[in-house]
Amino acid sequence: MAVAGAAGLVAGSLYAVHTGEGPQAAKLAGDAQARGTRAGGAQARSAQPRAAALAARVAGRLGGRTAGGYLDAAGRPVVTVATAADAATVRSAGAVPKMMRTSPRALARTTAALRRSMAGTPGTGWAVDPATSQVVMWVDDSVKGARMAGVEREAATMGTAVRMVRVPGRLHTLALGGDAIFGGGARCSLGFNVQRGGQPFFLTAGHCGNIVKDWTADQEGAQALGTTVQSDFPGNDFALVQATDAGQSAVDLHDGTAQPIVQAADAVVGQQVARSGSTTGVHTGRVTAVGATVNFPEGTVTGMIQTTVCAEPGDSGGPLFSGTTALGLTSGGSGDCQAGGVTFFQPVTEALQAFGAQLP
């Protein structure tokens, strides 16, 4: 366990709950484009947070007139547009405009239809891929037989607007007994230390906060960490825990050092990211989708960040970050860190807004 000063946990030092199985998961087309190079080495990597922030900012300015932004193979910020006027706006802001083959309104109709027909079907999910102007729908290995036939029929009615991919293994998000932060026989994870009203708190997964009230740093319950005060799952997957002691705004890198966290932001497709966890340490990958819907066995979660970052049991609930920027909280996924996998994260900006909290 890492300690911040005399007391207080470094974010990322205590992790839990994610289960996954199976080989490397499928990736969205946008990721295939984004990983064409390694962004030109260290110089490009250092520029990535700025490019990602620009893409997110410009896409946010366009609102419903865009399918979103992403980073291309060269690490440039790209924002999808439907009109020449919006293309000029994107270009003047310093980003690269890309004309969409499918309108944002049509993509919104497609995702709305999937919500009506597929919500509550475990092992499925979907997200808009801005690089291809398609909705990518995935199914895991639990979807088979008549259920798989029904999913295929639904996708077929939407034509080329939907592309189906298979995610090997099964999507899971559940608490396990073990040795990280403990409560009620479960172990979960500290994500980011935050403050509200001048008091110390930390964020963790909502599926953990739903089942645990009092958290401790040891299985015997001798070292109190905090008390869950708010929790939201399914729908979202975040919880707020009032901490016994204040923790620093940093992520444990599991090599004796910590990465300072100074801000929170929204993730962008193609962005290089890292996840820290007590089971597998620090692993990196790319964002393959934002605004994803995931139908876990425990319920549907929307607005998720999808990534190629691997995770294993004991890593869930922990922080997703890019440099000094907080991005998300581990929710669930499939795969492992030997064969690879797909992992979904709850955007941290949404959690901060919902709880009225800020980074220290």
Side-chain angles (χ1 to χ4, degrees):
M1 181 194 319
V3 178
L9 299 173
V10 175
S13 63
L14 298 180
Y15 290 84
V17 193
H18 160 67
T19 64
E21 53 205 359
Q24 184 169 1
K27 299 176 178 64
L28 299 186
D31 178 58
Q33 292 187 11
R35 68 176 188 277
T37 69
R38 287 299 178 185
Q43 183 176 358
R45 284 194 296 273
S46 67
Q48 265 223 345
R50 294 193 299 274
L54 176 60
R57 184 169 64 251
V58 177
R61 190 181 307 166
L62 295 183
R65 303 198 305 276
T66 179
Y70 63 96
L71 302 185
D72 67 8
R76 299 178 303 173
V78 180
V79 177
T80 56
V81 297
T83 67
D86 282 343
T89 298
V90 170
R91 199 174 291 111
S92 66
V96 178
K98 179 175 181 178
M99 296 299 294
M100 291 177 286
R101 292 180 294 181
T102 306
S103 72
R105 184 171 297 180
L107 292 171
R109 286 198 299 267
T110 300
T111 56
L114 287 173
R115 281 196 299 272
R116 290 191 298 270
S117 61
M118 301 300 300
T121 304
T124 66
W126 53 86
V128 172
D129 182 0
T132 63
S133 297
Q134 286 181 303
V135 175
V136 179
M137 182 168 70
W138 56 87
V139 295
D140 72 10
D141 288 347
S142 70
V143 183
K144 58 185 67 175
R147 191 147 58 103
M148 183 64 183
V151 171
E152 290 175 334
R153 283 195 301 271
E154 183 64 27
T157 65
M158 301 180 186
T160 59
V162 171
R163 185 175 81 255
M164 284 189 62
V165 298
R166 169 71 75 171
V167 178
R170 296 191 177 194
L171 298 169
H172 285 278
T173 173
L174 52 94
L176 303 175
D179 64 348
I181 64 174
F182 295 88
R187 70 178 173 108
C188 287
S189 137
L190 188 154
F192 294 100
N193 290 306
V194 298
Q195 292 182 347
R196 186 171 73 173
Q199 299 298 311
F201 292 82
F202 62 81
L203 300 174
T204 189
H207 62 268
C208 298
N210 280 4
I211 61 174
V212 176
K213 179 180 179 182
D214 296 315
W215 294 98
T216 63
D218 60 315
Q219 195 167 13
E220 293 72 29
Q223 185 178 349
L225 290 179
T227 302
T228 301
V229 294
Q230 290 179 254
S231 185
D232 188 347
F233 177 83
N236 297 303
D237 196 3
F238 47 65
L240 183 69
V241 178
Q242 185 157 21
T244 304
D245 297 298
Q248 71 186 81
S249 188
V251 169
D252 188 354
L253 299 181
H254 297 277
D255 61 359
T257 67
Q259 170 64 61
I261 298 296
V262 302
Q263 63 184 351
D266 294 325
V268 173
V269 171
Q271 186 175 8
Q272 294 176 331
V273 292
R275 172 203 54 74
S276 175
S278 63
T279 298
T280 58
V282 176
H283 281 267
T284 61
R286 288 181 181 272
V287 175
T288 54
V290 296
T293 296
V294 187
N295 292 316
F296 291 118
E298 299 88 350
T300 299
V301 182
T302 62
M304 303 290 275
I305 304 165
Q306 183 182 5
T307 76
T308 63
V309 185
C310 71
E312 295 185 5
D315 288 331
S316 181
L320 180 74
F321 60 100
S322 178
T324 60
T325 302
L327 296 173
L329 304 166
T330 310
S331 177
S334 68
D336 57 41
C337 289
Q338 286 71 50
V342 57
T343 306
F344 296 92
F345 298 83
Q346 165 70 54
V348 72
T349 51
E350 186 179 0
L352 292 172
Q353 182 177 12
F355 294 138
Q358 305 83 33
L359 293 172

